[in-house]
Amino acid sequence: MISRDVRLAPMTSWLVGGPAEYYVEPSSESELEEALRFAHEQKLAVTVLGGGTNVLISDKGIRGLVIVLKRFNQAKVSEERGHLCVEALSGFSKSELLKVFLKAKLAPALFLAGLPGDVGGGVVMNAGVGEMITPREFVEITTEIEVWRWPVSGAFHLEKVRMQASDLQWSYRHCEGWRPGLIAKVWVEWPLEPDATILERVREANRVRLQKQPLDKPSCGSVFINPPGSSAGRVIEGAGLKGFSIGGAQVSEKHANFIVNLGCATADQIWQVITHVQNTVQAKAGVTLKTEVVRLGDWG
Ligand SMILES: Cc1cc2nc3c(=O)[nH]c(=O)nc-3n(C[C@H](O)[C@H](O)[C@H](O)COP(=O)(O)OP(=O)(O)OC[C@H]3O[C@@H](n4cnc5c(N)ncnc54)[C@H](O)[C@@H]3O)c2cc1C
């Protein structure tokens, strides 16, 4: 069912952002197709949200139709060619994917530990961890994706394009080559080579995250991409910005690459903190910080 003027802040891990002009949470392929047909007929722009854990949505909200994929989350697990294979709709959460790999004692459980959001967002962002483990990013476990495309004008028809992961352009926290459209399905797999220590290692990874990251406050994880050969957190801390705040948006005291919502932050205040950090780090350290977080909505 398509609704109007729905608050988007609760759909994001930062808990900020204005309303969606139109809003839908499809739970099946036919419901997603219906939503896209509606957007096409009404000439609405489409914005897709997975877990909303890497987006900064404008306080003015998002015009057009916002499709939230959290209920578009079924998955099939099978064993083929000596591999554990998962075919998942893109709203399948990473934490559920972790459980699948953990049950089989397979290595991908380790990098998935503590990664929020959905598998679709995991592909778009090539989500992963900095530790030198195998695998450590989505590029290493993804085999195929299915992209849904629809025309900008003319009669509505849905094109479902299956793409090999090897035909996409993967880089650090980024994946290109699948646009335009949205990612509807993701196939991942890993060799069936159980590791008896995996549960203990996942527990340890979770313990370290809790110790290092301000997980008690709303955030989007790391705001900035690590500059080549360096760590964004260290550079920001070196510029004396830990604890810097505007309104309810603060550079975390615990981890300088996190900007936390102290409870009353607006998207605009978070963006002001981001630009202050970028300008200060550029001036003091000569380092250009690029954002990992994706800005969505009307920022004009
Ligand atoms: C506490 C915390 C810790 C984090 N730690 C990490 C970490 O260790 N490593 C890491 O890589 N990331 C981390 N993140 C960031 C974030 O979880 C990842 O980038 C995640 O992969 C985003 O997935 P999502 O489903 O939430 O995507 P969203 O935030 O919903 O979307 C991100 C972008 O992808 C687009 N998108 C999402 N789904 C689709 C789809 N199906 N089709 C087309 N476009 C789509 C959206 O439009 C948006 O542009 C962390 C975030 C938090 C809050």
Side-chain angles (χ1 to χ4, degrees):
M1 198 190 65
I2 291 168
S3 314
R4 287 207 68 161
D5 294 326
V6 174
R7 277 182 69 228
L8 290 171
M11 318 303 166
T12 74
S13 57
W14 245 330
L15 299 180
V16 298
E21 187 183 12
Y22 292 88
Y23 178 92
V24 68
E25 281 179 22
S27 63
S28 65
E29 294 190 48
S30 57
E31 285 182 17
L32 179 55
E33 180 167 350
E34 268 321 294
L36 293 171
R37 185 187 298 278
F38 172 83
H40 179 78
E41 283 167 2
Q42 303 295 317
K43 298 188 171 41
L44 300 173
V46 170
T47 302
V48 180
L49 271 191
T53 64
N54 210 31
V55 290
L56 181 58
I57 294 176
S58 156
D59 295 317
K60 293 183 193 147
I62 301 180
R63 296 191 69 77
L65 176 65
V66 175
I67 301 179
V68 173
L69 293 171
K70 64 181 173 186
R71 294 170 64 230
F72 189 69
N73 61 2
Q74 297 80 17
K76 288 182 223 153
V77 181
S78 61
E79 291 185 11
E80 293 165 37
R81 302 165 274 103
H83 286 65
L84 186 78
C85 305
V86 183
E87 174 186 340
L89 297 184
S90 51
F92 190 60
S93 70
K94 297 186 191 74
S95 57
E96 288 300 316
L97 185 62
L98 176 146
K99 286 183 201 162
V100 171
F101 283 119
L102 199 54
K103 199 169 162 206
K105 298 188 171 60
L106 300 183
L110 187 55
F111 94 96
L112 290 167
L115 281 192
D118 302 340
V119 294
V123 170
V124 174
M125 303 306 305
N126 188 17
V129 296
E131 290 82 8
M132 298 308 282
I133 54 175
T134 305
R136 60 200 283 256
E137 294 179 325
F138 259 73
V139 58
E140 292 163 89
I141 61 167
T142 309
T143 55
E144 281 182 83
I145 61 170
E146 185 174 284
V147 175
W148 287 14
R149 291 181 182 148
W150 57 98
V152 177
S153 56
F156 179 80
H157 66 275
L158 200 56
E159 194 190 354
K160 299 182 178 180
V161 187
R162 237 167 117 158
M163 306 181 85
Q164 297 291 320
S166 52
D167 291 334
L168 304 173
Q169 290 90 56
W170 301 82
S171 56
Y172 171 55
R173 301 297 168 264
H174 199 64
C175 176
E176 273 304 334
W178 57 271
R179 292 171 210 273
L182 63 78
I183 298 175
K185 284 188 196 171
V186 177
W187 283 262
V188 300
E189 66 175 53
W190 196 255
L192 280 159
E193 290 162 3
D195 172 354
T197 66
I198 202 75
L199 176 59
E200 200 38 55
R201 295 170 72 200
V202 164
R203 284 198 179 123
E204 175 61 11
N206 285 335
R207 198 190 57 75
V208 170
R209 264 187 191 262
L210 258 176
Q211 195 185 22
K212 289 190 175 167
Q213 300 181 354
L215 299 180
D216 56 334
K217 297 194 178 68
S219 78
C220 76
S222 295
V223 173
F224 301 101
I225 290 172
N226 284 326
S230 178
S231 137
R234 260 198 299 278
V235 180
I236 297 166
E237 189 174 348
L241 288 165
K242 260 189 171 177
F244 173 82
S245 66
I246 296 178
Q250 184 192 49
V251 177
S252 166
E253 304 268 12
K254 199 168 182 182
H255 190 314
N257 201 10
F258 279 54
I259 294 175
V260 293
N261 178 355
L262 296 174
C264 53
T266 62
D268 199 47
Q269 288 165 352
I270 292 175
W271 185 245
Q272 286 178 48
V273 172
I274 289 174
T275 44
H276 178 79
V277 168
Q278 286 175 317
N279 293 339
T280 308
V281 163
Q282 185 73 56
K284 286 194 175 176
V287 174
T288 305
L289 286 179
K290 292 188 184 148
T291 49
E292 177 181 321
V293 64
V294 181
R295 263 200 318 170
L296 296 177
D298 180 4
W299 288 87

